[in-house]
Amino acid sequence: MEESNRGKEKLKAIMFGAPGAGKGTYASRLQEKLDVEIIATGDIFRELIKEDSELGRKVRGYVEKGLLVPDDVVIEVLKQRLSKIPRGKGFILDGYPRTLDQAKALEAIAKIDVILLLDVPDWIIIERLSSRRICRDCGGVYNIRYLKPKVEGVCDECEGPLYQRSDDNPEVIEKRLQVYEEQAKPLLKYYEQKKVPIVVSKTTSLDQPPQPIVDRMIEELKRRKLA
Ligand code: ADP
């Protein structure tokens, strides 16, 4: 690993896509193959909410309604998390940036190599999110219809209990999709103007297995000397 990585820059990528597009699933599979950490702002907020700290109480209202947490909070949380990445390790951002101000704040800290854009039609997203389950212990993502755990309600990896996120309900899903539509175009335009390469992965059916998409992402990263 050390040897093959010598002289190479560590990967700094953004996994970009609608809620339910598969950002967490692909990022964790990439993590198994590449020397990267995942920074998922949504996961960080859910942890904060669980702790019931002052900050947790502040973000709860936004997350539960499917609204964006204010930029100053998100940017501070990201800075703190990024500062904990060990030297020599890369990262994949999942769920950040979601606004232009967040993108600009990121640019001041790190130069992003690539955007991994997930292109998934709304009907697949709605179907997936309403049957999504998450492991309470390790955050693993399952789907009770399309990506079932071996034992119902139990995580394959760590045997933790699976639960349904409170924002994975029809009204909040609709709000989250609407928020994504508004934020996505200006952000992608911003990165196009900055000439950051965008690698697009398309999903066209509900039962499309994730691994071939991940394998293609890795090939593409290797081709660009980013993995
Ligand atoms: P999804 O992408 O499936 O909507 P996430 O776990 O990424 O789920 O985010 C859940 C919620 O956390 C969002 O609906 C929003 O309220 C909040 N959130 C996460 N990341 C950000 C961010 N970068 N900026 C603002 N709010 C965020």
Side-chain angles (χ1 to χ4, degrees), residues 32-193:
E32 287 169 14
K33 304 270 165 119
L34 311 171
D35 196 20
V36 289
E37 291 203 7
I38 299 171
I39 302 180
T41 40
D43 287 350
I44 298 175
F45 292 141
R46 279 183 290 280
E47 281 300 314
L48 287 171
I49 292 171
K50 226 170 27 186
E51 284 164 15
D52 204 29
S53 59
E54 197 187 327
L55 188 55
R57 279 190 292 277
K58 190 170 171 190
V59 300
R60 179 194 291 272
Y62 297 98
V63 173
E64 285 185 344
K65 293 191 198 79
L67 302 175
L68 293 184
V69 173
D71 280 342
D72 55 341
V73 177
V74 190
I75 291 168
E76 187 49 38
V77 160
L78 177 90
K79 280 187 182 158
Q80 285 193 12
R81 180 62 187 84
L82 269 179
S83 71
K84 293 194 189 119
I85 303 251
R87 276 171 66 93
K89 252 198 159 180
F91 60 80
I92 300 176
L93 297 173
D94 162 1
Y96 186 104
R98 274 167 143 105
T99 65
L100 281 177
D101 280 345
Q102 290 181 20
K104 287 175 192 160
L106 174 64
E107 205 187 358
I109 318 172
K111 189 184 166 300
I112 295 300
D113 302 311
V114 66
I115 313 277
L116 300 166
L117 172 64
L118 306 180
D119 181 0
V120 186
D122 279 6
W123 68 271
I124 293 187
I125 285 181
I126 292 164
E127 188 66 31
R128 270 186 186 167
L129 285 182
S130 40
S131 44
R132 176 162 83 169
R133 296 291 183 275
I134 319 269
C135 172
R136 208 173 274 289
D137 293 342
C138 74
V141 180
Y142 296 86
N143 189 294
I144 52 170
R145 296 171 72 178
Y146 311 104
L147 203 66
K148 289 184 186 175
K150 293 192 186 97
V151 179
E152 197 187 314
V154 181
C155 177
D156 290 351
E157 297 299 323
C158 75
E159 298 187 354
L162 303 185
Y163 79 105
Q164 181 166 31
R165 263 170 54 174
S166 62
D167 58 351
D168 279 349
N169 72 66
E171 297 85 62
V172 183
I173 291 172
E174 201 178 315
K175 185 70 206 166
R176 282 156 61 207
L177 278 175
Q178 190 190 324
V179 169
Y180 175 75
E181 288 304 324
E182 288 161 13
Q183 71 187 37
K185 277 202 191 97
L187 274 172
L188 290 172
K189 205 168 142 203
Y190 174 84
Y191 283 111
E192 269 166 27
Q193 280 167 353

